Amino acid sequence: MPGSGSGLSVQRCLTFTTGLVECLCFAGAVFGWASLVFVLKEEGYFSSLCVNGTGVNGTHVLDCAGQDEQFSLIFTIASFMNNFLTLPNGFLFDRFGTTVTRLYGIFLYTIGTVMVAFSTSALAILLFPALSLLAVGGILFLMTNMQVGNLFGSRRSTIITLYNGAFDSSSALFLVIKLLHERGIALRSSFLFLSACSVVHLLRTFFLLPRKLIPYPLPDNYTYGITCGKSDNRIGEVAENGGAQKVEEVPLNKDASAKQEKSFRDCLLSRFFMWHLLWLSVMQLRHYLFIGTLNPMLQRLTAGESSLVSQYTNAFAITQLCGVLCAPWNGLIMDRHKGKPRAEGESEQEVDLRATVLSLFLTALQCLLFSICASTPYLPLQYLTFVLQVLNRSFLYGGNAAFISVAFPSCHFGKLYGLVMALSAVFSLLQYPCFALVKVLDGDPLYVNIGLTLLSLLAFIHPLSVYLHCRSVSSQRVKNKAMTQSS
C-alpha cells in the first residue's frame, strides 16, 4: 500500500521519542530522593525526631539523626520494592503483554503521586507507601519501553541503554520540584500535575505501543500487536477505517529458534546468570548507599551549612540529567560490531556476547573509581564523585538489560530481568545495616565506604568469565574447522 512504509517509520519514531520522554521525565524520579529530602525537611516532615544536642564546643545544636534515619528507611524500602517487585512484574509482562502491564504501572504511579501530594508533616507516614508506588510504577514504564529497541535491530543495544540512561536522568525531576518549591510552587501542586500526566501515559499505551510484545528479530512488515511465540501464525484484524488487514506475525528464524530452545531453568542455573547477578548486586548496593546517605554526608562535610548543602544537592541532581547522554556510549560499545562480516561459523549471539565484555569491564572499573572518590572525605572532590556516579549508573542499568537481551532468549527477558532485579534487591537490603553501622560510628561512613569499595572488586569476575567463555567457544570453533578440513 503506497505510503504505508513511511507511515510505519513515523509510528516507530513516535514510539521511540515518546518512550524516551516518558523515561526521562517520570520513570526513575525516586532516585532523585536527595533533592526531595531537602524540600521535605523544610516542610517539617519527621521534624519531631530532631532533638537538642551539644556540639563540639559545648554549643547547642539540633541533632536530626532520627529524621535522617526515617528518610533513609523510606528510600531503602522504595529501592527494594523497585527491584524486588520487578520479578512478578516480569512474569506479568511476559504473560499478559504491554497494555495490561502499563495500565497496572500507570495506576501505581498515579496513586503514589497523589499520596505525596496529600501528605503533610503530620501525615509524613504516607511517604513510605507513596515512594514505593512511584518506584514500582516507574520501573514498569522502563520495562515496557525497553522492547522498543527491537524495532531498530542494528541499534537495539544503543536504544536499550539510552532508555536506561533516560531512566537515570529522570531523577532530576525532584530537582525541578525543589527549584519550583524555592520559587513558591507548593509540593502539592507539583505532584498533582504529575498525577494529571497519567492521561498522556494512557494515550501512549493505546496508540503508540503494541498490545502484547515486540519480537526480536523483527519480521518484515511488522505491525504492532504480536505475542512472543514459536510459530508464524498470522492473525487478520479488520481496521475500522477501511477494511485493510493488520498482519500480526511471529518471526520464524533458525538462529532465533535455536536460542529459544534454552529453557528458563537452564538460563537461571547458568554461570552467566550467577556472575551477572553478583556484578549487578555489588554495584547497585554501592549506589543505593551513596544516594541514601548523600544528604547527611553533605551535612557532615559542610558542617551543616544549609546553602552549601543546597548547592551540592543541586549539583548532584543536575549531573543526573547527563545519564541520558552517557548511556548510549555503552550501547555503541555493544553495537560496534553490527554490520561487520562475521568469521566463518560464528553466530550472531557469539559476536554480541563478545561485544559485552568491554562494556561489563568498563562498568566495574567506573564503579571502583566512583567508590574511591565517594570514600574520600573532601568536599570539592564530590563534584567528580557525582560525575562518576551518573556515568557508572547509566552504564550499569543499560548494560544489565542489554546483556540479558543478548545472553538469553527474548521470550524469557521479562522473567530474567525481573528475577535479577529482585535478587539484587534482596542483596541491597544490606544498605540498612550499613546505615545503622554508620550511625554507630558517629555518622562517619569512612570504614563502611572502604568495605564497599573492596566489595565492588567482585564485579570484575563477570567480564572475565564472559571473556573466557568467548575465547573457549572461539577456540573450539577453530579446532572443529581444522578437524573438518583435515578429514
Side-chain angles (χ1 to χ4, degrees):
M1 186 167 59
S4 62
S6 60
L8 194 62
S9 177
V10 169
Q11 183 191 33
R12 291 180 184 179
C13 287
L14 279 174
T15 299
F16 163 71
T17 306
T18 54
L20 186 62
V21 171
E22 185 174 83
C23 289
L24 183 60
C25 297
F26 300 95
V30 70
F31 293 102
W33 179 237
S35 297
L36 190 61
V37 164
F38 193 88
V39 175
L40 296 172
K41 283 187 173 182
E42 287 192 343
E43 291 287 325
Y45 284 66
F46 300 114
S47 58
S48 61
L49 298 175
C50 293
V51 296
N52 290 318
T54 305
V56 179
N57 300 321
T59 56
H60 290 290
V61 295
L62 197 61
D63 183 5
C64 291
Q67 184 188 38
D68 288 333
E69 189 174 354
Q70 286 300 301
F71 285 130
S72 294
L73 181 59
I74 290 170
F75 181 76
T76 300
I77 294 172
S79 58
F80 171 77
M81 298 295 282
N82 172 76
N83 285 0
F84 188 75
L85 290 185
T86 309
L87 175 58
N89 290 339
F91 279 90
L92 177 73
F93 183 46
D94 283 347
R95 175 67 181 85
F96 296 103
T98 305
T99 301
V100 171
T101 306
R102 281 183 61 82
L103 290 176
Y104 173 56
I106 292 167
F107 172 76
L108 295 180
Y109 198 89
T110 306
I111 295 299
T113 53
V114 169
M115 291 180 80
V116 176
F118 289 98
S119 67
T120 62
S121 57
L123 291 173
I125 197 74
L126 286 177
L127 292 176
F128 282 92
L131 264 290
S132 294
L133 291 171
L134 283 174
V136 177
I139 199 69
L140 285 170
F141 287 162
L142 175 64
M143 184 185 292
T144 53
N145 276 312
M146 282 191 294
Q147 61 178 330
V148 173
N150 294 348
L151 296 173
F152 305 88
S154 63
R155 289 289 172 257
R156 185 184 180 214
S157 294
T158 302
I159 289 173
I160 290 174
T161 54
L162 180 62
Y163 275 179
N164 277 270
F167 177 85
D168 293 337
S169 294
S170 66
S171 58
L173 174 65
F174 284 170
L175 169 64
V176 175
I177 290 174
K178 174 180 178 289
L179 296 176
L180 290 174
H181 185 267
E182 290 171 353
R183 284 157 180 76
I185 305 297
L187 193 64
R188 176 170 296 180
S189 300
S190 296
F191 276 90
L192 285 177
F193 175 77
L194 291 179
S195 302
C197 288
S198 295
V199 175
V200 179
H201 302 320
L202 286 171
L203 291 174
R204 183 168 180 271
T205 299
F206 291 117
F207 292 104
L208 288 175
L209 284 169
R211 184 172 59 86
K212 292 294 184 179
L213 305 175
I214 301 174
Y216 184 79
L218 199 69
D220 294 333
N221 301 318
Y222 168 72
T223 55
Y224 296 173
I226 75 169
T227 57
C228 185
K230 299 179 181 178
S231 63
D232 61 346
N233 294 330
R234 294 173 178 263
I235 305 172
E237 203 173 275
V238 178
E240 292 179 0
N241 61 355
Q245 268 200 331
K246 177 183 177 184
V247 179
E248 301 183 353
E249 56 182 281
V250 178
L252 196 60
N253 177 287
K254 290 182 180 179
D255 290 340
S257 298
K259 191 178 173 184
Q260 298 291 353
E261 288 175 5
K262 200 170 186 181
S263 70
F264 176 66
R265 184 175 181 274
D266 290 338
C267 296
L268 189 61
L269 297 177
S270 68
R271 183 179 58 185
F272 278 169
F273 183 83
M274 300 298 181
W275 288 128
H276 186 68
L277 175 62
L278 179 67
W279 176 86
L280 175 65
S281 297
V282 296
M283 289 191 280
Q284 180 173 263
L285 176 63
R286 186 68 193 94
H287 282 273
Y288 280 2
L289 190 74
F290 177 75
I291 295 170
T293 59
L294 180 61
N295 187 268
M297 180 193 78
L298 292 177
Q299 292 278 359
R300 184 180 182 85
L301 293 179
T302 61
E305 190 175 331
S306 182
S307 60
L308 268 180
V309 173
S310 180
Q311 176 186 325
Y312 275 83
T313 301
N314 289 352
F316 171 73
I318 289 169
T319 57
Q320 300 306 299
L321 285 169
C322 299
V324 70
L325 303 176
C326 300
W329 302 349
N330 196 16
L332 291 171
I333 289 171
M334 300 180 79
D335 283 337
R336 67 188 186 278
H337 65 283
K338 298 287 187 182
K340 296 180 181 178
R342 299 199 300 262
E344 186 180 345
E346 191 176 37
S347 68
E348 184 178 356
Q349 187 196 8
E350 186 182 339
V351 177
D352 288 345
L353 203 57
R354 191 172 65 247
T356 66
V357 174
L358 180 59
S359 167
L360 297 171
F361 172 77
L362 287 177
T363 306
L365 181 61
Q366 290 163 4
C367 183
L368 180 62
L369 295 175
F370 151 63
S371 190
I372 290 171
C373 290
S375 303
T376 307
Y378 180 58
L379 186 60
L381 184 63
Q382 299 317 305
Y383 286 121
L384 177 59
T385 303
F386 297 160
V387 172
L388 289 171
Q389 189 269 344
V390 72
L391 179 65
N392 183 231
R393 184 174 162 77
S394 61
F395 266 60
L396 177 63
Y397 289 106
N400 169 48
F403 179 80
I404 292 173
S405 71
V406 164
F408 304 107
S410 60
C411 278
H412 299 317
F413 176 80
K415 295 185 286 291
L416 289 170
Y417 180 78
L419 186 60
V420 78
M421 294 297 280
L423 293 176
S424 65
V426 174
F427 190 84
S428 72
L429 288 177
L430 289 173
Q431 65 183 296
Y432 197 66
C434 289
F435 292 146
L437 184 56
V438 169
K439 190 176 179 181
V440 170
L441 296 171
D442 295 324
D444 187 354
L446 178 63
Y447 295 109
V448 172
N449 284 332
I450 290 173
L452 288 173
T453 301
L454 295 175
L455 186 67
S456 67
L457 293 173
L458 295 175
F460 286 97
I461 296 175
H462 186 34
L464 178 62
S465 173
V466 176
Y467 170 75
L468 293 175
H469 169 82
C470 291
R471 192 174 70 171
S472 173
V473 170
S474 178
S475 300
Q476 188 63 41
R477 188 180 63 252
V478 171
K479 189 182 297 183
N480 291 342
K481 183 180 176 182
M483 290 177 63
T484 302
Q485 289 176 346
S486 62
S487 61

